[in-house]
Amino acid sequence: MAHAPETIDAYLADHAARFEGQLFELLRIPSVSAQPDHNADTRRAAQWVRDDLIALGVPAELIEFDSGHPIVYGERLDAPGQPTLLIYGHYDVQPPEPLEPWLSPPFEPTVRDGNVYARGATDDKGQMFTHLKAAEAWLKTVGRLPVNVKFLIEGEEEVGGKNLEAFLAAQTRKLACDYAVISDTSQFAPGLPAITYGLKGLAYFELRVQGANRDLHSGTFGGAVQNPLNALCQILASLKGADGRIQVEGFYDDVRPLEDWERAAFAQLPFSEADFAADLGVAELFGEVGYSTLERKWARPTCDVHGLWGGYAGPGPKTVLPCKAGAKFSFRLVPDQDNRTIAQAVRRHIERHTPPGVTWELEEMHGAPAVLVDTTTPGFAAATRAIETAFGTRPVFIREGGSIPVVGLIKQHLKVDTLLLGWGQNDDNLHGPNEKFSLADFHRGIRASAHLMAELAG
Ligand code: BES
Ligand code: ZN
């Protein structure tokens, strides 16, 4: 079974419209894992995915936890001696807010210009669903899958839930596999599919700074006590130099330098820094000195402030000397940086750079290691061929700046690499208003997944 039989391609063509209808059904369920008001909807999405797996021929169940959202698990192990794929995806979505910029409501999937617009369209319902429909095509035509497949679809990806790690750690035998497969990344550009071989890690913090025991008049008390908002700004400003280099002592110690072949390969990709800047509406790009934009986006660590509060930001002036201030900020990490080592270095940096007269607290909110996957495995080659068949173009091999913590957990607990086969586009607005997913890419993704199963079968 070196190639997916033509009957599979025919089945995909015959059922394309129904697949879209089913995807729209799933997209109508507002499974916003972060919002307790949507707990019942989030569970409904889990049940929907479980029921579809069962309907297409994969026995599946909900795995329940004391708190949080269930995992959908299903498996079909009818190819003894053949490789086993662990297909991971998530059925939860980011909050849709702010609602005002959405051109159509986030949970009313709407097709415009060949794209379906809805929260979760690309991240990750649409991408995840491609693998279910690929399995369906095999099961409804050939009657079995050419490889063993385990589906692990979680509902806490967008909230960094802990249930999945507990499940992975406890069920290493049940989840044993040769490759994990995740479609939760992007192609390089429209018409240019990609396999992602590197993701960034993350060290995410909240810093709270406290000054006096109450808000004060800035005339009466200014010059007498430290202002925690000024102090916070000083601390944040000390993190990064004007040259884009991070100033935290020891921060670059474990950074693996870009390889020459990698720099050459990135430089070969069709990417215009000028067009990129124009699309974003900025007069010039900015990042660490000495590196190209793709190198900085994909393979150099970064530091960004995400939010900042304190004092008065309402209409009109208020001459307040606030008593507290806070900020959220993070570092995207690259191999071989360790997020715990970085957290210690950040703590020491804040100790050294906090001006007198305030106290502070640092909370570590998210941590994930960066990943690089082996590009020389038979699975990587099989994925390359399957994508070339389905998309009509050989994929390029890229890194991404985003983080998918489960990839590191899979490596740690199951000892396997993940094939990151993204069907999305960089402008899909994941996490933002008007999230979309190309329906043509949805169908190509299904076909690539079906062919991957055939390519992996010996
Ligand atoms: N699918 C994204 C990760 C991603 C984005 C990969 C863009 C490649 C390109 C994922 O759902 C996500 O948003 N991850 C978070 C992880 C974090 C909350 C721990 C991220 O990268 O911010
Ligand atoms: Zn996401």
Side-chain angles (χ1 to χ4, degrees), residues 109-194:
T110 305
V111 178
R112 291 192 294 275
D113 295 333
N115 297 302
V116 57
Y117 284 81
R119 171 57 86 233
T122 189
D123 181 13
D124 177 46
K125 288 172 172 173
Q127 296 212 54
M128 172 269 286
F129 196 49
T130 60
H131 300 289
L132 273 70
K133 297 297 99 176
E136 174 181 321
W138 277 96
L139 291 169
K140 300 289 182 195
T141 55
V142 179
R144 63 183 190 85
L145 299 176
V147 289
N148 304 297
V149 176
K150 301 176 176 179
F151 284 97
L152 176 65
I153 315 294
E154 71 152 320
E156 302 188 325
E157 196 270 351
E158 301 292 9
V159 289
K162 294 283 168 258
N163 289 335
L164 180 76
E165 176 163 20
F167 185 66
L168 275 171
Q171 302 291 339
T172 52
R173 194 147 331 135
K174 184 186 180 72
L175 300 174
C177 57
D178 297 284
Y179 302 99
V181 175
I182 301 181
S183 294
D184 198 14
T185 48
S186 295
Q187 302 178 56
F188 183 71
L192 189 49

Side-chain angles (χ1 to χ4, degrees), residues 286-311:
F286 174 75
E288 184 187 5
V289 65
Y291 295 92
S292 74
T293 296
L294 286 184
E295 288 167 354
R296 295 170 187 150
K297 269 161 55 66
W298 292 350
R300 294 296 301 172
T302 57
C303 170
D304 282 286
V305 178
H306 308 294
L308 181 62
W309 59 91

Side-chain angles (χ1 to χ4, degrees), residues 4 18 65 92 103 129 157 249 262-263 270 281 362 368 413:
R18 179 174 55 81
F65 299 88
D92 65 323
L103 296 178
F129 196 49
E157 196 270 351
E249 204 175 306
E262 244 180 337
R263 299 191 86 163
L362 184 71
H413 295 290

Side-chain angles (χ1 to χ4, degrees), residues 117-394:
Y117 284 81
R119 171 57 86 233
T122 189
D123 181 13
D124 177 46
K125 288 172 172 173
Q127 296 212 54
M128 172 269 286
F129 196 49
T130 60
H131 300 289
L132 273 70
K133 297 297 99 176
E136 174 181 321
W138 277 96
L139 291 169
K140 300 289 182 195
T141 55
V142 179
R144 63 183 190 85
L145 299 176
V147 289
N148 304 297
V149 176
K150 301 176 176 179
F151 284 97
L152 176 65
I153 315 294
E154 71 152 320
E156 302 188 325
E157 196 270 351
E158 301 292 9
V159 289
K162 294 283 168 258
N163 289 335
L164 180 76
E165 176 163 20
F167 185 66
L168 275 171
Q171 302 291 339
T172 52
R173 194 147 331 135
K174 184 186 180 72
L175 300 174
C177 57
D178 297 284
Y179 302 99
V181 175
I182 301 181
S183 294
D184 198 14
T185 48
S186 295
Q187 302 178 56
F188 183 71
L192 189 49
I195 300 181
T196 296
Y197 66 89
L199 291 169
K200 282 187 183 170
L202 187 64
Y204 193 111
F205 303 95
E206 180 172 309
L207 175 62
R208 296 180 288 268
V209 181
Q210 176 80 43
N213 58 7
R214 59 188 184 277
D215 281 359
L216 301 168
H217 187 286
S218 70
T220 316
F221 293 92
V225 292
Q226 180 65 267
N227 179 327
L229 195 43
N230 288 43
L232 176 69
C233 291
Q234 265 175 265
I235 298 168
L236 294 174
S238 73
L239 294 173
K240 196 154 84 172
D243 57 359
R245 295 272 300 178
I246 291 150
Q247 302 297 314
V248 174
E249 204 175 306
F251 184 83
Y252 290 97
D253 286 359
D254 298 323
V255 170
R256 202 188 300 182
L258 271 142
E259 313 240 5
D260 289 342
W261 69 264
E262 244 180 337
R263 299 191 86 163
F266 292 0
Q268 289 296 308
L269 290 167
F271 180 78
S272 151
E273 303 217 355
D275 292 353
F276 183 69
D279 177 57
L280 296 175
V282 293
E284 58 184 302
L285 299 172
F286 174 75
E288 184 187 5
V289 65
Y291 295 92
S292 74
T293 296
L294 286 184
E295 288 167 354
R296 295 170 187 150
K297 269 161 55 66
W298 292 350
R300 294 296 301 172
T302 57
C303 170
D304 282 286
V305 178
H306 308 294
L308 181 62
W309 59 91
Y312 180 75
K318 180 180 181 191
T319 52
V320 64
L321 195 169
C323 66
K324 26 168 137 281
K328 293 183 196 285
F329 62 99
S330 78
F331 302 85
R332 294 279 172 175
L333 309 177
V334 301
D336 300 305
Q337 291 177 296
D338 178 81
N339 55 277
R340 287 151 305 196
T341 310
I342 294 299
Q344 285 165 5
V346 169
R347 212 170 268 288
R348 276 195 303 276
H349 180 92
I350 296 173
E351 272 161 18
R352 286 195 198 113
H353 288 82
T354 303
V358 292
T359 58
W360 55 272
E361 271 179 343
L362 184 71
E363 186 185 340
E364 295 164 30
M365 307 199 93
H366 261 312
V371 289
L372 275 179
V373 309
D374 186 356
T375 58
T376 65
T377 61
F380 202 91
T384 304
R385 293 192 299 272
I387 291 174
E388 181 163 12
T389 302
F391 287 76
T393 308
R394 199 179 149 79

Side-chain angles (χ1 to χ4, degrees), residues 430-448:
L430 55 162
H431 296 202
N434 301 305
E435 180 177 347
K436 67 170 172 67
F437 185 39
S438 151
L439 289 169
D441 285 333
F442 171 62
H443 295 294
R444 288 190 273 253
I446 298 171
R447 196 159 166 241

